[in-house]
Amino acid sequence: MAEIQLRNVNKRWGSFVGVDNFNLTIADKEFLVLLGPSGCGKTTTMRMIAGLEDITEGEIAIDGKVINNLDPKDRDVAMVFQSYALYPNMNVYENIRFPLRVRGVDASTHDERVRRASRMVELDDFLHRKPAELSGGQRQRVALARAIVREPNVFLMDEPLSNLDAKLRVSTRAQIKNLSHELAVTTIYVTHDQIEAMTLADRVVVMQKGIVQQVGSPTEIYDKPANAFVASFIGNPAMNLIDGEMRGGVFETQRTRVEGLRAPDGKVTLGFRAEDASIAEDGNGQITAPIYTLELLGDATMVSVRIGQALVAVKADKSFRAEIDDTVSISVPADICHVFDTDTGKRLSA
């Protein structure tokens, strides 16, 4: 069992706050993703759990035991870094085996454990090769196997896919998802890629400027973002956000009028997702504007218009035909909309 508790955890360097009052319980065998832009504090949080960064204030406990003062080697965690950190003079077999040698594990068990880890990440045909003879995806799998072979209480993964090309990221992501199911070990995964977060996580922690913005399942965060930042960070494309005025349940700004909303009067930001809106064939949509750009995605056509400073996207059928600067009408029913306070970003709609 490996339940992890972070209690009022803070990290400061002088006056700079890297992580601000982080509180969370990570369940045994949970796959938790820390998500946010560069500099949001997600890697710092992971490094404090690993013991690679000192905690300024607060406590971290694993299975009820406070680990603040334990050395990294005594925390029973295995970390996979963005850089593969492989030993170039060792072949794949010896790279995977290395943690067992360092920790003084009974040598008679090494071969079985190395080959089990190798088999899990499909490296059996590469055990004799040196890292220089491997592709980026294969090197990352060696790094994963080296973490697996330790059989730790906790896996920590710091952007392990960011150095891979798009196709390899998809296949390696699937492998990590399958591994997490097979190994059933508490895993904390850091990424700035919201697709990785949505596909891998049991729960997602969205961070910005060292502060937790929202914690929830991928579905909860996608369907009901707590604030405009989370709304803008989750989704591909991100949620459309349009600044305007709310009066008596009606949102208005240039080229846009949406009726039937539940939100207080005043300055608000209207949000909706591209896949929830549609092209109004009858011309009676809530937004009417000239087309700014068209993108054929294969299964759909992304149509974008400009409303003030905002670029607003809607997914149309792949057969949709139009030209840039043609006027288009977009249907945005009230029941697909989210409303946020323009000043604080806080969610206002139910």
Side-chain angles (χ1 to χ4, degrees):
M1 178 176 169
E3 180 187 86
I4 303 170
Q5 291 180 309
L6 294 94
R7 307 175 190 134
N8 307 111
V9 172
N10 291 270
K11 179 62 182 180
R12 292 189 297 271
W13 293 272
S15 60
F16 178 77
V17 179
V19 176
D20 188 6
N21 198 34
F22 194 112
N23 284 279
L24 188 69
T25 297
I26 303 163
D28 179 41
K29 300 179 183 176
E30 182 174 17
F31 196 115
L32 184 94
V33 173
L34 300 176
L35 174 69
S38 296
C40 73
K42 57 190 187 295
T43 294
T44 300
T45 301
M46 174 178 282
R47 288 174 65 84
M48 287 190 288
I49 295 169
L52 302 176
E53 290 280 0
D54 291 332
I55 300 169
T56 307
E57 291 169 1
E59 288 183 338
I60 297 177
I62 297 180
D63 293 338
K65 179 183 177 183
V66 176
I67 61 169
N68 290 31
N69 298 319
L70 284 183
D71 290 336
K73 65 181 176 61
D74 298 324
R75 297 190 180 200
D76 200 13
V77 302
M79 196 159 180
V80 180
F81 295 94
Q82 178 179 347
S83 61
Y84 316 125
L86 304 180
Y87 297 101
N89 59 321
M90 296 182 186
N91 62 22
V92 169
Y93 184 98
E94 291 300 331
N95 264 285
I96 297 173
R97 183 187 175 201
F98 188 76
L100 302 179
R101 291 170 54 196
V102 168
R103 296 173 74 83
V105 174
D106 180 359
S108 67
T109 68
H110 287 197
D111 187 67
E112 180 187 346
R113 288 173 66 167
V114 169
R115 292 187 184 279
R116 175 176 174 268
S118 165
R119 191 164 54 250
M120 282 183 160
V121 294
E122 299 173 16
L123 282 172
D124 287 354
D125 294 336
F126 304 94
L127 291 174
H128 62 286
R129 292 194 187 181
K130 297 283 181 67
E133 302 173 89
L134 303 176
S135 68
Q138 288 163 346
R139 287 181 213 169
Q140 190 56 275
R141 282 188 277 154
V142 177
L144 283 169
R146 192 175 52 191
I148 292 165
V149 80
R150 280 192 48 196
E151 299 176 4
N153 253 346
V154 180
F155 280 123
L156 304 176
M157 299 189 183
D158 187 10
E159 307 219 28
L161 308 185
S162 59
N163 289 337
L164 305 181
D165 64 40
K167 187 177 179 182
L168 267 176
R169 274 204 302 271
V170 172
S171 59
T172 311
R173 189 172 70 220
Q175 200 156 36
I176 289 173
K177 179 86 171 178
N178 184 266
L179 275 173
S180 71
H181 173 77
E182 190 172 343
L183 294 168
V185 174
T186 307
T187 302
I188 302 172
Y189 186 105
V190 162
T191 185
H192 63 271
D193 186 323
Q194 53 90 21
I195 294 176
E196 284 178 30
M198 297 291 286
T199 54
L200 290 172
D202 295 321
R203 278 193 305 163
V204 180
V205 178
V206 185
M207 298 182 69
Q208 183 193 31
K209 296 179 180 177
I211 298 171
V212 173
Q213 303 294 312
Q214 187 172 0
V215 181
S217 71
T219 301
E220 289 166 350
I221 286 176
Y222 189 84
D223 289 344
K224 207 167 184 178
N227 55 42
F229 171 78
V230 175
S232 69
F233 203 80
I234 298 288
N236 186 24
M239 183 180 286
N240 296 307
L241 296 172
I242 308 171
D243 292 339
E245 291 269 345
M246 182 70 71
R247 288 283 178 268
V250 179
F251 172 88
E252 280 194 280
T253 189
Q254 56 180 291
R255 298 171 172 165
T256 304
R257 177 183 170 88
V258 182
E259 300 179 359
L261 295 168
R262 280 198 233 164
D265 289 355
K267 288 184 178 180
V268 300
T269 299
L270 182 80
F272 63 92
R273 297 206 177 274
E275 64 269 26
D276 293 334
S278 60
I279 301 296
E281 301 293 347
D282 60 6
N284 292 325
Q286 285 72 22
I287 297 175
T288 303
I291 294 173
Y292 181 79
T293 188
L294 291 158
E295 299 169 274
L296 181 60
L297 305 179
D299 63 335
T301 300
M302 193 69 74
V303 182
S304 297
V305 301
R306 190 173 281 285
I307 305 296
Q309 300 300 309
L311 200 60
V312 175
V314 57
K315 269 190 178 179
D317 191 85
K318 64 181 179 181
S319 62
F320 178 79
R321 295 291 180 266
E323 301 291 335
I324 290 175
D325 291 331
D326 286 354
T327 297
V328 67
S329 182
I330 299 173
S331 175
V332 187
D335 61 0
I336 72 163
C337 292
H338 308 254
V339 184
F340 306 95
D341 184 291
T342 300
D343 294 327
T344 66
K346 186 178 178 182
R347 182 182 186 86
L348 297 173
S349 57

